[in-house]
Structure formats: structure tokens, C-alpha cells
Amino acid sequence: MKVLVVNEEKCTASGVCETVCSEYWFKEANKEKSRIQLMLRPDGHSLNVCNQCGECILVCPTEALYRDKKGIVRLREKDCTGCMSCVGFCPTQSMFVAVGEEIPFKCISCAQCVESCPSGALSIEDLPEPVERVFYREHL
């Protein structure tokens, strides 16, 4: 499965990746609408990117979240009710929602940011498929 990978040591926190992402997906330069987000911490920074673990799939009451043929977790926007369960449940806090948006969004490893990263901190790499946990929806 090809996923977006961040080399934190190379990341300079320029924010170019966030701008490119929001422009590509939302047609505006708004970092709040980026599918990857720079998180500032007291000890530095990190780039928050979905690792495609699929945990969010388990909590979606409308089954709008699914894994595509390439293994990437995707959202069927027409099936999403905007309950935001996935946003609150995401173990890596990589499911986002922006002010004025009614449905969440996340990185789908499209590689737009990789091409624009000035420090080469981003890459698309082939990683093993995640092992999905098996749950019955009635037990969630």
C-alpha cells in the first residue's frame, strides 16, 4: 500500500505542503483545510498525516469510510452525515474538519504535497497493508 510518509528530521515547517494541499482540494490557500497539518509543540513541530490505519472505519455509523482497492481509507461524501465520530475517534488525530465545512477530510496519499515540499521531507512509500481489527458493528 502506498502511503504518505514524513521524515520529521528533514521537515523545516515551511507550511508549503499545507498550502498546496488546501489549494488542490478546496481551491483556496487555507491551512485549516489542508489534509495534512503542521502541529507546533513545545519541543518543536510535527506534520500530522493519516497513516491509513483504518480505525475510523469502525466508528462510522453510515459506513461512509472504507478502504479502496489500493488500501487507502477514503470517505464517500454522499454517505457522510457529518456526525464527526471519525474526527473524535482517530487515534492519530489525522481526520480533520474546518470551520464552515460539514464533512471531515483526511489525507489520501495523493502526493501533491510531495512534489512541492522544499526540504524533501515528504515521500510516497510502499508499506505493508495494515492488519484490520475485526469488530461487529453492534459492539461499537
Side-chain angles (χ1 to χ4, degrees):
M1 165 174 69
K2 294 189 184 287
V3 300
L4 182 64
V5 175
V6 179
N7 181 332
E8 299 264 337
E9 292 177 8
K10 288 185 175 181
C11 181
T12 60
S14 69
V16 171
C17 56
E18 292 173 303
T19 302
V20 166
C21 181
S22 68
E23 287 176 344
Y24 183 77
W25 290 102
F26 290 94
K27 310 302 182 224
E28 63 179 276
N30 180 346
K31 292 181 180 188
E32 286 184 20
K33 292 185 177 182
S34 175
R35 292 173 179 237
I36 58 175
Q37 295 192 1
L38 190 61
M39 306 297 203
L40 299 178
R41 300 177 301 192
D43 61 339
H45 65 274
S46 66
L47 196 55
N48 195 348
V49 176
C50 178
N51 65 5
Q52 312 302 333
C53 72
E55 294 290 317
C56 56
I57 295 170
L58 302 172
V59 298
C60 182
T62 62
E63 299 181 10
L65 289 161
Y66 68 100
R67 196 174 293 283
D68 70 13
K69 291 178 184 176
K70 294 180 179 179
I72 302 299
V73 176
R74 308 280 304 235
L75 174 71
R76 278 187 214 94
E77 292 183 12
K78 65 179 179 62
D79 294 336
C80 180
T81 60
C83 74
M84 305 302 167
S85 293
C86 55
V87 175
F89 185 76
C90 179
T92 59
Q93 299 176 337
S94 302
M95 183 71 75
F96 306 111
V97 64
V99 174
E101 296 298 317
E102 296 180 10
I103 60 172
F105 49 90
K106 59 175 280 311
C107 177
I108 60 166
S109 302
C110 72
Q112 295 299 313
C113 57
V114 174
E115 298 168 12
S116 65
C117 180
S119 64
L122 300 171
S123 61
I124 296 289
E125 296 183 21
D126 202 6
L127 299 179
E129 299 270 337
V131 177
E132 289 192 44
R133 298 186 332 200
V134 177
F135 284 103
Y136 294 98
R137 285 200 167 272
E138 60 268 17
H139 294 268
L140 292 176

